Amino acid sequence: AATPAPEITEVQEWNQFLGDGVAARPYGMPSQFEKHVVRRDVEWLTASRESSVNFTPLHDLDGIITPNGLCFERHHGGIAEIPPEKHRLMINGLVDRELVFTMDDLKRFPRVNRIFFLECAANSGMEWRGAQLNGCQFTHGMVHCVQYTGVLLKTVLEECGVKTNAKWLMPEGADASGMNRSVPLEKALDDCMLAFSMNGEALRPEQGYPLRLVVPGWEGNMWVKWLRRIEVGDQPWHTREETSKYTDLLENGKSRRFTWVMDAKSVVTNPSPQAPLRFKGPNVLSGLAWSGRGAIKRVDVTLDGGKNWVTADIQGPVLPKSLTRFYVNFEWDGKPLLIQSRAIDDTGYVQPTKNELRAARGTNSIYHNNGIQTWHVRENGEVENVEVS
Ligand code: MTE
Ligand code: CO
């Protein structure tokens, strides 16, 4: 700037006085100037806050790791507060030894650290019939990605000795909802975890403290929190959460059953309705891509509603079943934009358009909407949620 900036030439308050000492903040919080970076809910979505959801502020975050205090919450019976010494995990049913584990017991098994995204099957569910919610926090914020520490479920199942006719597991939560789902044994033995830490510290109460099931790449509903029991059986249980809920109602009245995997998906987080464009000239477009089938191989981005596409710059680790961060550096001339991103995973799967999804599955469903999102940037930089045909 031509005139001297007072921020440089004048002594500022924080320059003259001592700040807080080391004892002032035993558990640190973000800067007071970041108070707007919070989980938010949509009041009309559910009748009760105890059986509801809030959303990760994706437009305020960067990189691939979600800070613990900003991971969206979805619970059907409120947050259970369980003293760890009172928590037990029972494994019963088709096993040689039915066992009950304390948290201390579980922490004596060999440990693993793994980064995974968790996405609720209902993420983007309100968008099935058309553009509705204004902000990627609300359209795509039922996703988070953290590093879990825990033991492989396989390790603990081996301790119990799974019988040869066992094929299914039913994890069950200790919360008021008693959430339970049927999980195929094959998946459990492949990569499921019993997690007690996220991002290096104990699980947050909201995320299932002291123990949660991690089911990499599969719908969030199966990741039972406050995990207290796993029954081993030879067939699925068809619980409420896999019959009247979490099945996808098709146009012909039939439902898709056991749609566990979260297919490849992506969203531009900046710009987006809560993060308008503020400058002409150089800008950084940023976004997230993920796939429950593996790693993200490529992300394409268009600024003109799909006429021209560029390959986004993927920055940071590209891990299977994890969020992946991408950027596109572009010049904005102040003209309207139609921004979309399209993820491609390492199985070759290409994220579909919303109309392709509707052609295949109709408009009755709310689950598994991984269609391409469109943001319309106006000349004043404001952004709105739209669809292009
Ligand atoms: N586990 C229990 N015990 N109770 C619940 O209500 N909600 C499920 C799942 N596990 C739930 C649960 C749903 S629908 C989702 S999407 C994820 O937890 C959400 O995990 P999060 O709250 O850590 O984001
Ligand atoms: Co869910």
Side-chain angles (χ1 to χ4, degrees):
T3 49
E7 291 83 356
I8 294 286
T9 56
E10 289 168 20
V11 177
Q12 305 293 321
E13 192 188 315
W14 46 90
N15 210 194
Q16 295 178 57
F17 305 106
L18 292 174
D20 279 349
V22 287
R25 305 175 189 196
Y27 195 104
M29 295 296 284
S31 159
Q32 57 174 307
F33 307 109
E34 297 292 322
K35 285 216 167 77
H36 55 284
V37 183
V38 289
R39 301 188 278 222
R40 290 185 179 86
D41 67 341
V42 175
E43 260 180 72
W44 53 263
L45 267 185
T46 43
S48 137
R49 291 283 172 93
E50 291 74 27
S51 177
S52 194
V53 60
N54 61 23
F55 301 88
T56 309
L58 298 176
H59 59 292
D60 283 319
L61 300 178
D62 219 323
I64 67 165
I65 295 294
T66 315
N68 287 342
L70 294 175
C71 288
F72 86 94
E73 304 163 54
R74 171 81 178 106
H75 28 78
H76 298 67
I79 301 164
E81 299 273 3
I82 306 176
E85 68 279 5
K86 287 280 220 179
H87 192 71
R88 298 289 181 274
L89 172 67
M90 174 165 104
I91 299 189
N92 70 308
L94 298 179
V95 287
D96 298 331
R97 291 170 297 280
E98 296 191 326
L99 294 174
V100 173
F101 300 94
T102 64
M103 289 307 297
D104 283 339
D105 292 336
L106 293 174
K107 288 179 178 176
R108 293 169 67 196
F109 286 103
R111 227 170 265 185
V112 295
N113 286 313
R114 299 200 179 158
I115 297 176
F116 295 116
F117 78 82
L118 178 164
E119 184 184 18
C120 180
N123 199 20
S124 314
M126 277 70 71
E127 307 291 309
W128 256 111
R129 290 166 193 215
Q132 178 160 232
L133 298 173
N134 249 326
C136 67
Q137 177 164 22
F138 306 111
T139 55
H140 290 75
M142 278 195 243
V143 67
H144 53 62
C145 183
V146 307
Q147 185 186 53
Y148 294 98
T149 303
V151 301
L152 287 175
L153 178 51
K154 181 175 188 263
T155 310
V156 177
L157 287 175
E158 276 167 4
E159 185 77 9
C160 301
V162 175
K163 292 204 186 294
T164 50
N165 58 336
K167 286 201 171 60
W168 290 84
L169 304 184
M170 186 189 66
E172 175 189 78
D175 57 327
S177 81
M179 168 77 58
N180 56 3
R181 283 291 299 256
S182 304
V183 179
L185 180 63
E186 210 183 352
K187 176 67 173 173
L189 297 178
D190 178 21
D191 60 359
C192 286
M193 284 174 69
L194 303 173
F196 38 78
S197 295
M198 56 196 287
N199 292 333
E201 63 179 1
L203 291 177
R204 292 290 173 92
E206 304 91 299
Q207 265 67 46
Y209 179 90
L211 190 68
R212 102 172 293 167
L213 183 64
V214 169
V215 190
W218 288 21
E219 61 187 19
N221 184 257
M222 305 173 88
W223 299 46
V224 173
K225 303 191 276 190
W226 309 289
L227 181 69
R228 73 163 169 203
R229 187 168 78 92
I230 298 176
E231 187 171 328
V232 184
D234 58 1
Q235 45 195 326
W237 282 261
H238 290 111
T239 71
R240 188 190 85 123
E241 301 297 309
E242 52 206 14
T243 49
S244 89
K245 302 290 179 294
Y246 300 98
T247 51
D248 316 332
L249 185 58
L250 301 174
E251 214 62 4
N252 63 9
K254 293 194 173 182
S255 284
R256 296 203 306 158
R257 182 177 71 154
F258 299 152
T259 47
W260 300 309
V261 183
M262 301 310 293
D263 281 316
K265 184 164 171 177
S266 67
V267 65
V268 171
T269 56
N270 305 77
S272 62
Q274 296 156 289
L277 267 189
R278 292 162 56 221
F279 310 106
K280 288 180 189 156
N283 275 280
V284 178
L285 174 153
S286 174
L288 290 165
W290 61 96
S291 167
R293 294 187 193 276
I296 290 297
K297 197 169 149 214
R298 200 180 84 210
V299 181
D300 300 327
V301 170
T302 176
L303 301 179
D304 56 15
K307 290 189 202 94
N308 300 285
W309 294 86
V310 295
T311 304
D313 172 27
I314 290 177
Q315 277 294 321
V318 179
L319 301 168
K321 304 173 188 178
S322 158
L323 292 188
T324 302
R325 175 64 61 179
F326 65 85
Y327 300 103
V328 171
N329 304 313
F330 72 104
E331 295 274 333
W332 188 43
D333 57 7
K335 302 236 176 71
L337 306 173
L338 285 170
I339 299 180
Q340 301 178 325
S341 63
R342 176 173 67 195
I344 299 154
D345 72 17
D346 60 5
T347 70
Y349 177 95
V350 181
Q351 183 184 359
T353 65
K354 290 195 194 176
N355 283 337
E356 283 167 350
L357 263 188
R358 290 183 190 120
R361 294 206 218 132
T363 52
N364 290 328
S365 189
I366 57 162
Y367 303 116
H368 295 278
N369 178 1
N370 66 325
I372 290 173
Q373 172 68 42
T374 312
W375 301 128
H376 173 219
V377 181
R378 296 204 196 99
E379 283 175 358
N380 65 3
E382 279 173 21
V383 183
E384 71 183 320
N385 180 5
V386 300
E387 283 193 22
V388 290
S389 45

